[in-house]
Amino acid sequence: QVQLVESGGGLVQAGGSLRLSCAASGRTFGSYYMAWFRQAPGKEREFVGAISWNDGSTYYADSVKGRFTISRDNAKNTVYLQMNSLKPEDTAVYYCATGRVFTVAARPYEYWGQGTQVTVSS
């Protein structure tokens, strides 16, 4: 199985930046996509973006395009979510997930981290 651990969350003022990390360990073979989701209170888990381990292709939700960037460090088995120009509506628990295929739906992803809280003040 795969273990995922998120870090880097915290409190930031609107317009500021944060970088989240997701470190993967265990049997990662077959986990070809790493994705970020977020969930605010009372809302369903929402797709943020994803990256392919094979070629580095990235995919983003419209709500974060131009502000968030996903990258990877193969040597560290880690993916990053760089968040710039943060808005109060970005406040949520952010989760990383991995799976064999790309999808914006949460259910198909096989492994999940515990999440890290991001709070953006106005």
Side-chain angles (χ1 to χ4, degrees), residues 26-104:
R27 195 178 185 276
T28 58
F29 178 79
S31 297
Y32 300 118
Y33 292 88
M34 294 285 285
W36 288 96
F37 288 79
R38 65 188 183 186
Q39 189 165 23
K43 296 184 178 180
E44 295 192 21
R45 196 160 294 190
E46 175 190 25
F47 175 78
V48 175
I51 188 167
S52 169
W53 280 109
N54 292 327
D55 60 13
S57 299
T58 53
Y59 313 86
Y60 299 98
D62 288 342
S63 59
V64 305
K65 284 182 180 177
R67 299 189 298 122
F68 291 9
T69 303
I70 299 173
S71 60
R72 73 198 199 281
D73 185 332
N74 290 23
K76 295 181 178 180
N77 232 23
T78 299
V79 296
Y80 304 95
L81 180 65
Q82 178 66 47
M83 305 185 293
N84 299 325
S85 302
L86 283 162
K87 306 173 182 179
E89 48 263 47
D90 295 318
T91 296
V93 177
Y94 283 71
Y95 300 89
C96 62
T98 188
R100 299 184 65 183
V101 299
F102 168 77
T103 176
V104 300

